[in-house]
Amino acid sequence: MMTLELIRKPVAGDLEAYEAFVTRHFHAESDLLSQMLRYALSSRGKGIRPMIVLLSAGMNAPEPQAGLGQRAYLAAMLVEMIHVASLIHDDVIDEADERRGRPSLNARWQSRNAVIAGDYILARNMSIGMSSGQFDLVAHVCDAIAVLCEGEIIQSDKAARTEMNREAYFDIIRKKTASLMGVSASAGAMAVRAPRERVERMRQFGEAVGMAFQIQDDILDYTRTAHTGKPANNDLREHKITLPLLAVLEQAAPQRRAELLEKLALCDGDPSAVDELQHAVEQGGGIRMAADVMREYLRQAVEMLAEWESSPYRDSLVNLCAYVAERDI
Ligand code: FPP
Ligand code: MG
């Protein structure tokens, strides 16, 4: 079983320096804001995005260096804080009470405060970026915010609709998840001033990993033994059609399809409808079909890495691909 600890190894020292960098930059004056900020920052999850930034910076650095430096830490902070803010807002939108096994910010301090906390994190992030004078990184990373918003709005418009299809699903996950992972990988390369083609190739690598990462997230939603810190079948209760269900719907006869969609409409208030759909997805091979698509993205991602010389950083990025497929948290 691949572990994050092993993947982090080549940048373990940098990740510590990065943590200190974040603590130094992120603090708030007012009591409530400062409490919410501390809470949000103390449970930032697996830290996959900053780890990708630093591994990419290491792999693309022109020569081996001790400590990747402030530009790499800044890039890592810019992407991670966009992610943190987006999840705070996402939990408000989804009315989710839990995140990573703890009450969400909205559950603890109400939605109206949580929205402001998310805004504050985004604003501070930008202001730290601008004051640093590293405008290329700030511009590169900020593009991702608009894409995330687009992904979220398309999802809210289409995810529960019968017209949901693969094209729409891939468009949503590319925008809401893969884009920021792509930017994490490319910002790392940019931070060490890698050539433009390499920055672009890293973006493609990160996007492929991100597509796989979100598909696995959608699979884990159907896995009741997973340890994500989120209740199982959240997506069904939110009427979201993700790849495991989509794959089953695609293969169902028209009447069965209509039946399944009718059940989906009941899922927020009727646990037996959730159970039936869960069963239909498992029995119909939806999880297996989604996993095949996920593995294909990871295969492409690993293939891209062959363009770089062998290094502990590259090994870690290859291992990250194995981790994405295996993870259950
Ligand atoms: C989680 O999806 C949500 C996202 C990855 C993106 C959320 C984006 C916004 C709310 C747009 C606003 C952006 C910013 C930067 C403020 P999910 O609901 O499928 O995952 P979950 O199960 O972890 O909640
Ligand atoms: Mg959500």
Side-chain angles (χ1 to χ4, degrees), residues 84-257:
V84 168
S86 76
L87 290 185
I88 295 176
H89 283 185
D90 182 67
D91 286 339
V92 171
I93 296 165
D94 292 345
E95 297 176 17
D97 292 333
E98 257 181 74
R99 168 74 60 190
R100 302 188 180 113
R102 301 198 309 185
S104 58
L105 252 77
N106 45 305
R108 225 175 129 170
W109 286 284
Q110 300 181 300
S111 291
R112 58 201 174 97
N113 292 318
V115 170
I116 304 288
D119 288 342
Y120 180 85
I121 291 172
L122 269 189
R124 251 221 61 77
N125 204 29
M126 290 312 112
S127 128
I128 297 163
M130 295 308 274
S131 332
S132 75
Q134 311 294 324
F135 302 121
D136 57 338
L137 283 177
V138 181
H140 185 69
V141 172
C142 280
D143 274 351
I145 302 180
V147 178
L148 277 184
C149 293
E150 250 184 77
E152 187 75 6
I153 212 91
I154 304 174
Q155 170 167 289
S156 116
D157 190 34
K158 291 228 175 79
R161 302 266 199 93
T162 46
E163 79 238 36
M164 183 68 174
N165 54 33
R166 276 190 194 232
E167 202 190 340
Y169 172 77
F170 289 126
D171 186 41
I172 291 169
I173 69 168
R174 185 171 297 285
K175 287 178 171 151
K176 79 170 193 181
T177 305
S179 61
L180 192 57
M181 291 228 182
V183 165
S184 305
S186 53
M190 194 179 236
V192 294
R193 306 189 199 280
R196 195 177 318 155
E197 314 80 64
R198 287 253 147 145
V199 172
E200 173 54 21
R201 202 62 179 144
M202 282 315 294
R203 193 185 58 73
Q204 290 167 3
F205 163 79
E207 272 206 22
V209 175
M211 294 296 280
F213 190 87
Q214 185 59 49
I215 295 171
Q216 178 68 349
D217 213 59
D218 294 339
I219 290 173
L220 290 176
D221 202 76
Y222 282 94
T223 313
R224 292 182 170 180
T225 50
H227 301 94
T228 55
K230 298 181 279 196
N233 300 130
N234 242 350
D235 290 339
L236 287 175
R237 279 189 296 272
E238 290 170 13
H239 305 166
K240 259 189 221 162
I241 301 175
T242 60
L243 193 54
L245 175 57
L246 189 59
V248 169
L249 287 172
E250 281 170 349
Q251 299 196 335
Q255 190 177 343
R256 173 73 173 148
R257 187 183 152 86

